[in-house]
Amino acid sequence: KDVRRLCEKAREIFRDESNVQLVSCPVTVCGDIHGQLHDLLELFRIGGSCPDTNYLFMGDYVDRGYYSVETVTALVCLKVRYSRRVTILRGNHESRQITQVYGFYDECLRKYGDAEVWQFFTDMFDYLPLTALVENTIFCLHGGLSPSVQSLDQVRAIDRVQEVPHEGSMCDLLWSDPDERTGWG
Protein backbone atom coordinates (compact mmCIF):
# COMPACT_ATOMS: atom_id res chain seq x y z
CA LYS A 1 0.00 0.00 0.00
CA ASP A 2 2.84 2.42 0.84
CA VAL A 3 4.70 1.64 -2.38
CA ARG A 4 1.53 2.20 -4.38
CA ARG A 5 1.02 5.64 -2.79
CA LEU A 6 4.68 6.54 -3.32
CA CYS A 7 4.56 5.58 -6.99
CA GLU A 8 1.27 7.42 -7.51
CA LYS A 9 2.69 10.60 -5.94
CA ALA A 10 5.87 10.31 -8.02
CA ARG A 11 3.83 9.75 -11.17
CA GLU A 12 1.98 13.02 -10.51
CA ILE A 13 5.32 14.84 -10.28
CA PHE A 14 6.78 13.16 -13.37
CA ARG A 15 3.60 13.82 -15.37
CA ASP A 16 4.27 17.55 -15.02
CA GLU A 17 7.92 17.27 -16.07
CA SER A 18 9.16 17.66 -19.62
CA ASN A 19 10.96 15.10 -21.77
CA VAL A 20 13.78 17.66 -21.65
CA GLN A 21 13.92 18.50 -17.97
CA LEU A 22 15.73 21.77 -17.19
CA VAL A 23 18.35 21.48 -14.45
CA SER A 24 20.32 24.27 -12.80
CA CYS A 25 23.88 24.19 -11.49
CA PRO A 26 25.35 23.26 -9.19
CA VAL A 27 24.29 19.65 -9.71
CA THR A 28 25.92 16.28 -9.18
CA VAL A 29 25.31 14.02 -12.19
CA CYS A 30 25.10 10.28 -11.51
CA GLY A 31 25.14 7.31 -13.86
CA ASP A 32 23.86 3.76 -13.46
CA ILE A 33 23.13 2.62 -9.91
CA HIS A 34 21.75 -0.86 -10.79
CA GLY A 35 20.47 -1.81 -7.37
CA GLN A 36 23.74 -1.02 -5.59
CA LEU A 37 22.21 0.62 -2.52
CA HIS A 38 25.50 0.83 -0.65
CA ASP A 39 27.09 2.65 -3.59
CA LEU A 40 24.16 5.08 -3.66
CA LEU A 41 24.58 5.77 0.06
CA GLU A 42 28.33 6.27 -0.45
CA LEU A 43 27.57 8.68 -3.27
CA PHE A 44 25.43 10.74 -0.87
CA ARG A 45 28.13 10.54 1.81
CA ILE A 46 30.74 11.92 -0.59
CA GLY A 47 28.55 14.28 -2.64
CA GLY A 48 26.31 15.55 0.12
CA SER A 49 22.81 14.69 1.14
CA CYS A 50 19.56 16.10 -0.16
CA PRO A 51 18.45 18.85 -0.08
CA ASP A 52 21.94 20.30 0.39
CA THR A 53 23.11 18.90 -2.94
CA ASN A 54 21.18 18.85 -6.22
CA TYR A 55 21.28 15.52 -8.06
CA LEU A 56 20.62 14.39 -11.62
CA PHE A 57 20.29 10.60 -11.97
CA MET A 58 20.50 9.35 -15.55
CA GLY A 59 18.73 6.01 -15.34
CA ASP A 60 19.26 2.33 -14.58
CA TYR A 61 18.29 2.25 -10.92
CA VAL A 62 17.27 -1.41 -10.90
CA ASP A 63 18.54 -4.83 -12.01
CA ARG A 64 21.85 -6.59 -11.51
CA GLY A 65 22.35 -5.52 -7.86
CA TYR A 66 20.80 -7.13 -4.79
CA TYR A 67 18.94 -4.04 -3.56
CA SER A 68 17.00 -2.73 -6.55
CA VAL A 69 13.76 -2.34 -4.57
CA GLU A 70 15.48 -0.36 -1.83
CA THR A 71 17.53 1.70 -4.30
CA VAL A 72 14.63 2.78 -6.48
CA THR A 73 12.43 3.34 -3.41
CA ALA A 74 15.05 5.63 -1.86
CA LEU A 75 15.47 7.62 -5.06
CA VAL A 76 11.73 7.99 -5.58
CA CYS A 77 11.28 9.07 -1.94
CA LEU A 78 13.94 11.74 -2.47
CA LYS A 79 12.23 12.84 -5.67
CA VAL A 80 8.88 13.16 -3.94
CA ARG A 81 10.36 14.99 -0.94
CA TYR A 82 12.77 17.25 -2.88
CA SER A 83 11.24 17.35 -6.34
CA ARG A 84 13.13 20.48 -7.41
CA ARG A 85 16.49 19.24 -6.12
CA VAL A 86 16.41 15.69 -7.52
CA THR A 87 16.00 14.89 -11.23
CA ILE A 88 15.45 11.27 -12.21
CA LEU A 89 15.65 10.24 -15.87
CA ARG A 90 14.58 7.00 -17.48
CA GLY A 91 17.20 4.46 -18.45
CA ASN A 92 16.81 1.37 -20.61
CA HIS A 93 16.37 -0.78 -17.48
CA GLU A 94 13.28 1.18 -16.42
CA SER A 95 11.19 -1.16 -18.55
CA ARG A 96 8.95 -4.16 -17.96
CA GLN A 97 10.73 -6.36 -20.48
CA ILE A 98 14.28 -5.67 -19.27
CA THR A 99 13.43 -5.96 -15.55
CA GLN A 100 11.94 -9.41 -16.17
CA VAL A 101 15.28 -10.57 -17.55
CA TYR A 102 17.84 -8.81 -15.35
CA GLY A 103 16.49 -9.28 -11.84
CA PHE A 104 14.13 -6.55 -10.60
CA TYR A 105 11.01 -8.61 -11.28
CA ASP A 106 12.42 -11.66 -9.47
CA GLU A 107 13.62 -9.50 -6.57
CA CYS A 108 10.10 -8.07 -6.13
CA LEU A 109 8.64 -11.60 -6.16
CA ARG A 110 11.21 -12.76 -3.61
CA LYS A 111 10.75 -9.80 -1.26
CA TYR A 112 6.98 -9.25 -1.57
CA GLY A 113 5.59 -12.63 -2.67
CA ASP A 114 3.92 -11.30 -5.81
CA ALA A 115 4.47 -8.90 -8.70
CA GLU A 116 2.34 -6.03 -7.38
CA VAL A 117 5.27 -3.83 -6.27
CA TRP A 118 7.04 -4.50 -9.58
CA GLN A 119 3.87 -3.38 -11.40
CA PHE A 120 3.65 -0.15 -9.35
CA PHE A 121 7.24 0.75 -10.17
CA THR A 122 7.16 -0.22 -13.85
CA ASP A 123 3.94 1.74 -14.34
CA MET A 124 5.68 4.74 -12.76
CA PHE A 125 8.78 4.25 -14.97
CA ASP A 126 6.65 5.09 -18.01
CA TYR A 127 6.37 8.68 -16.72
CA LEU A 128 10.08 9.32 -16.14
CA PRO A 129 11.57 12.16 -18.22
CA LEU A 130 13.85 11.03 -21.04
CA THR A 131 16.54 13.74 -20.97
CA ALA A 132 17.78 16.77 -19.07
CA LEU A 133 19.40 20.03 -20.09
CA VAL A 134 21.81 21.45 -17.53
CA GLU A 135 21.99 25.24 -17.64
CA ASN A 136 20.59 25.15 -21.21
CA THR A 137 24.03 23.89 -22.27
CA ILE A 138 24.72 20.26 -21.34
CA PHE A 139 22.38 17.61 -22.80
CA CYS A 140 22.09 14.59 -20.50
CA LEU A 141 20.44 11.26 -21.23
CA HIS A 142 20.92 7.60 -20.51
CA GLY A 143 21.63 6.32 -24.00
CA GLY A 144 22.64 8.41 -26.96
CA LEU A 145 21.56 10.52 -29.86
CA SER A 146 19.04 9.46 -32.48
CA PRO A 147 19.23 10.00 -36.24
CA SER A 148 15.51 10.78 -36.16
CA VAL A 149 15.87 13.63 -33.64
CA GLN A 150 17.19 16.93 -34.92
CA SER A 151 16.01 19.28 -32.16
CA LEU A 152 15.07 19.40 -28.50
CA ASP A 153 11.51 20.21 -29.57
CA GLN A 154 11.37 16.78 -31.22
CA VAL A 155 12.47 15.19 -27.92
CA ARG A 156 9.83 17.22 -26.06
CA ALA A 157 7.16 15.90 -28.46
CA ILE A 158 7.87 12.19 -27.82
CA ASP A 159 5.04 10.32 -26.09
CA ARG A 160 7.09 8.74 -23.31
CA VAL A 161 4.21 7.18 -21.35
CA GLN A 162 4.73 3.69 -22.72
CA GLU A 163 6.97 0.68 -22.52
CA VAL A 164 10.33 1.39 -24.16
CA PRO A 165 9.84 0.62 -27.87
CA HIS A 166 12.25 -1.60 -29.81
CA GLU A 167 13.05 1.11 -32.36
CA GLY A 168 12.65 4.81 -32.97
CA SER A 169 13.75 7.96 -31.23
CA MET A 170 12.75 7.00 -27.69
CA CYS A 171 14.57 3.69 -28.03
CA ASP A 172 17.68 5.47 -29.33
CA LEU A 173 17.69 8.00 -26.48
CA LEU A 174 17.64 5.17 -23.92
CA TRP A 175 19.72 2.52 -25.70
CA SER A 176 22.28 4.02 -28.10
CA ASP A 177 25.81 3.37 -26.90
CA PRO A 178 29.01 4.96 -28.22
CA ASP A 179 30.61 3.02 -31.05
CA GLU A 180 33.76 3.20 -33.15
CA ARG A 181 31.74 3.37 -36.36
CA THR A 182 31.23 6.71 -38.06
CA GLY A 183 27.76 7.93 -38.97
CA TRP A 184 24.62 6.28 -37.64
CA GLY A 185 25.22 2.60 -36.83
Side-chain angles (χ1 to χ4, degrees):
K1 193 163 75 169
D2 292 337
V3 172
R4 173 190 285 152
R5 283 198 315 253
L6 175 65
C7 290
E8 287 171 354
K9 179 64 178 163
R11 210 169 47 226
E12 291 172 20
I13 293 168
F14 294 134
R15 186 179 300 125
D16 292 336
E17 293 186 340
S18 170
N19 279 342
V20 182
Q21 192 61 23
L22 300 178
V23 176
S24 299
C25 285
V27 63
T28 300
V29 180
C30 307
D32 302 19
I33 304 292
H34 279 302
Q36 301 293 332
L37 180 65
H38 299 291
D39 291 347
L40 177 64
L41 297 175
E42 181 70 2
L43 190 148
F44 290 139
R45 189 186 70 71
I46 293 169
S49 48
C50 293
D52 300 328
T53 303
N54 296 324
Y55 283 96
L56 167 57
F57 293 95
M58 298 201 318
D60 284 9
Y61 314 111
V62 299
D63 292 332
R64 297 190 175 137
Y66 293 113
Y67 303 102
S68 291
V69 171
E70 295 83 356
T71 299
V72 73
T73 301
L75 287 171
V76 173
C77 283
L78 289 171
K79 177 63 181 179
V80 168
R81 177 67 177 92
Y82 306 110
S83 62
R84 295 179 185 209
R85 311 277 284 175
V86 176
T87 302
I88 301 176
L89 303 181
R90 191 172 189 177
N92 59 327
H93 280 259
E94 280 70 56
S95 126
R96 289 164 193 81
Q97 184 177 3
I98 298 301
T99 57
Q100 288 180 31
V101 174
Y102 288 96
F104 183 53
Y105 177 82
D106 291 332
E107 181 182 330
C108 290
L109 287 179
R110 213 173 37 256
K111 291 179 178 177
Y112 290 94
D114 60 38
E116 193 174 44
V117 166
W118 173 82
Q119 187 68 53
F120 296 148
F121 278 115
T122 55
D123 287 349
M124 182 205 66
F125 291 160
D126 290 345
Y127 289 83
L128 290 169
L130 303 177
T131 70
L133 190 60
V134 178
E135 292 292 333
N136 286 312
T137 304
I138 303 168
F139 186 56
C140 300
L141 66 164
H142 181 75
L145 301 177
S146 173
S148 59
V149 173
Q150 304 302 312
S151 71
L152 293 178
D153 285 338
Q154 287 178 299
V155 176
R156 288 182 185 100
I158 295 170
D159 177 13
R160 71 176 186 244
V161 184
Q162 60 178 306
E163 177 65 3
V164 179
H166 295 283
E167 58 186 20
S169 55
M170 182 173 163
C171 175
D172 294 341
L173 295 172
L174 300 180
W175 275 97
S176 293
D177 291 331
D179 195 304
E180 294 298 320
R181 295 176 282 183
T182 57
W184 296 105

